[in-house]
Amino acid sequence: MNPAPPYTPIACERYSELELAILRGQFLRTHWRRGQMDRIAVVRPLDLRTRRSAEFLILRDAEGRRQWRRLDRLISFEPVPG
């Protein structure tokens, strides 16, 4: 198993936007890079955490599963109208 690459922090402004989405209970359309594959999904952000010198978004996916995703793999996100 290959170790994870070093973490690259995201911009403070984007981090703040995630915090607001969590506080407002907004769903987000997200675009993630995972290895050689990109994934687009609508998720509900629950919390932000730091673990092992990397920042993570804790989210609930469309199937209701709770997941942790590294923020430096997040390509883009936007609120889902509704």
Side-chain angles (χ1 to χ4, degrees), residues 13-65:
E13 180 179 329
R14 297 300 279 168
Y15 191 93
S16 294
E17 290 174 20
L18 288 170
E19 289 177 315
L20 282 174
I22 291 165
L23 288 172
R24 293 175 178 158
Q26 290 179 313
F27 284 83
L28 299 175
R29 183 176 322 284
T30 59
H31 180 184
W32 299 88
R33 167 112 344 113
R34 194 165 185 186
Q36 298 297 321
M37 185 177 274
D38 286 3
R39 294 184 182 233
I40 296 173
V42 173
V43 302
R44 180 168 184 221
L46 303 173
D47 202 358
L48 293 160
R49 298 275 173 90
T50 302
R51 181 183 280 178
R52 298 185 199 127
S53 301
E55 296 170 308
F56 292 84
L57 175 64
I58 302 170
L59 59 89
R60 192 157 313 275
D61 67 14
E63 288 80 36
R65 295 178 298 216

